[in-house]
Amino acid sequence: MSDRWKKLKKNKKVRNVITFLAVFASALLQTYVIQTFINPAGLLSGGFTGLAILLDRIAQLAGFSFPTSAGMLLLNIPVALICSRSINVRFTVFSGLQVLFSSILLRVCDFQPLFTDQILNVIFGGVLNGFAGVIALKGNASTGGTDFIALFVSNKTGKSIWGYVFLGNVVILTIFGYIFGWKYAGYSIIFQFASTKIISTFHHRYERVTLQITTMKADEVIKEYVHQFRHGISCVEAVGGYSRKKMYLLHTVISSYEVMDVVHCIHEVDEHAIINEFKTTNFFGHFYQAPLE
């Protein structure tokens, strides 16, 4: 079943359908969060969505309207054009589609509030907003805006920068607090922290791990591994402490999202191979990062 699913995922049409469904589900959930938790509680989400809401609130103070849906599109278009070359055109198009869906759904949907309690709105809204981002990222797209910037920098550095994205959002929320009151800004920061924490917990593309493989079929494992993946791998001869037989220790560093594929690849060659996974806190040197597809 797993082999069949892997073959299906390599099919371009199937991948496009999966990504399309992911961005639509993400946009629908994001719309639900904005209408059910953010607006009724007077909160401000992070990223370009939050900036669009902030511009709308400022416009209302001046006596006119600047629709959030229009602001989301206007803010995302230039960033998408800049980042499309560095990230991936397909990724950028589907991310833009997520923003478009969100803009349309905000105008056609009318979700009603669930809670009158501010804390419940903050907690549930923040968590669900984070999952809206995770759904898009898992589908090889994003919710646009600061996601573009975060992934652009991560592609260049190979490190996750969601913590810095949170700090950027805090700056926007501080402006919001100065204009509309610190109470709502404080709640919005907690909301954004919960959202960012969910994304960093479930999106591990830029985390790296070290695999130590113990095998008696080093040549066959290395050949198949190098054929399927573009990471380096080293080999050291060893002797089994219990069996006293000659064996080999292989070491390689991979992205955490590749672990199960690599394990499957190795066990296809040597079902008796022992694989130990270590978290890699720092890595210096060239590392191949598979492009976003």
Side-chain angles (χ1 to χ4, degrees):
M1 185 66 180
S2 60
D3 291 339
R4 185 180 180 184
W5 175 242
K6 287 178 182 179
K7 289 179 181 179
L8 280 174
K9 286 201 298 183
K10 290 181 180 179
N11 184 290
K12 188 175 181 180
K13 291 182 179 179
V14 173
R15 285 194 291 111
N16 286 340
V17 170
I18 292 172
T19 305
F20 180 86
L21 293 175
V23 299
F24 182 80
S26 172
L28 183 62
L29 182 56
Q30 190 176 49
T31 301
Y32 178 76
V33 170
I34 291 173
Q35 294 184 347
T36 304
F37 301 105
I38 294 176
N39 290 341
L43 301 175
L44 189 72
S45 67
F48 282 10
T49 301
L51 188 55
I53 295 173
L54 177 60
L55 292 174
D56 186 22
R57 300 272 178 88
I58 294 173
Q60 289 176 18
L61 291 178
F64 61 93
S65 177
F66 182 73
T68 301
S69 56
M72 289 170 64
L73 289 174
L74 291 175
L75 290 169
N76 274 279
I77 288 173
V79 178
L81 292 175
I82 293 171
C83 294
S84 61
R85 293 182 181 179
S86 173
I87 301 175
N88 181 278
V89 173
R90 177 185 180 277
F91 178 88
T92 306
V93 169
F94 274 110
S95 298
L97 196 59
Q98 196 278 350
V99 177
L100 180 62
F101 281 152
S102 297
S103 301
I104 295 172
L105 290 171
L106 278 171
R107 301 184 73 88
V108 301
C109 293
D110 185 24
F111 296 114
Q112 298 302 310
L114 283 181
F115 308 114
T116 56
D117 185 88
Q118 195 83 356
I119 295 297
L120 289 176
N121 280 322
V122 169
I123 295 173
F124 279 88
V127 170
L128 290 178
N129 190 61
F131 277 116
V134 170
I135 290 170
L137 290 167
K138 290 290 186 180
N140 279 329
S142 74
T143 57
T146 50
D147 283 5
F148 278 139
I149 299 171
L151 293 166
F152 174 81
V153 175
S154 293
N155 268 354
K156 294 292 186 182
T157 63
K159 295 182 179 180
S160 176
I161 64 160
W162 294 112
Y164 296 103
V165 171
F166 171 70
L167 292 177
N169 287 324
V170 169
V171 172
I172 296 174
L173 295 171
T174 301
I175 298 171
F176 175 70
Y178 181 78
I179 299 173
F180 297 100
W182 295 110
K183 174 184 175 182
Y184 295 106
Y187 279 130
S188 297
I189 289 172
I190 297 172
F191 170 95
Q192 192 56 44
F193 177 80
S195 179
T196 305
K197 192 66 177 177
I198 289 293
I199 294 175
S200 62
T201 299
F202 290 94
H203 186 246
H204 304 290
R205 181 178 180 84
Y206 298 101
E207 291 182 8
R208 294 169 184 170
V209 298
T210 299
L211 294 185
Q212 177 184 279
I213 304 119
T214 304
T215 178
M216 298 179 70
K217 300 180 179 180
D219 289 339
E220 296 94 322
V221 169
I222 291 172
K223 183 178 180 181
E224 187 62 27
Y225 175 80
V226 171
H227 174 70
Q228 292 194 33
F229 304 92
R230 295 180 60 179
H231 301 300
I233 184 168
S234 58
C235 176
V236 178
E237 289 188 8
V239 176
Y242 180 78
S243 67
R244 310 306 299 171
K245 293 182 180 179
K246 181 180 178 181
M247 55 187 61
Y248 302 89
L249 289 179
L250 310 181
H251 289 85
T252 185
V253 179
I254 61 175
S255 296
S256 60
Y257 76 97
E258 297 175 299
V259 170
M260 295 312 299
D261 288 336
V262 173
V263 170
H264 180 75
C265 165
I266 293 169
H267 278 160
E268 277 193 327
V269 178
D270 182 7
E271 61 181 7
H272 300 295
I274 298 172
I275 303 171
N276 197 5
E277 177 185 335
F278 303 95
K279 184 175 181 180
T280 302
T281 54
N282 287 297
F283 180 87
F284 304 97
H286 178 70
F287 182 85
Y288 172 74
Q289 183 69 56
L292 292 163
E293 296 181 349

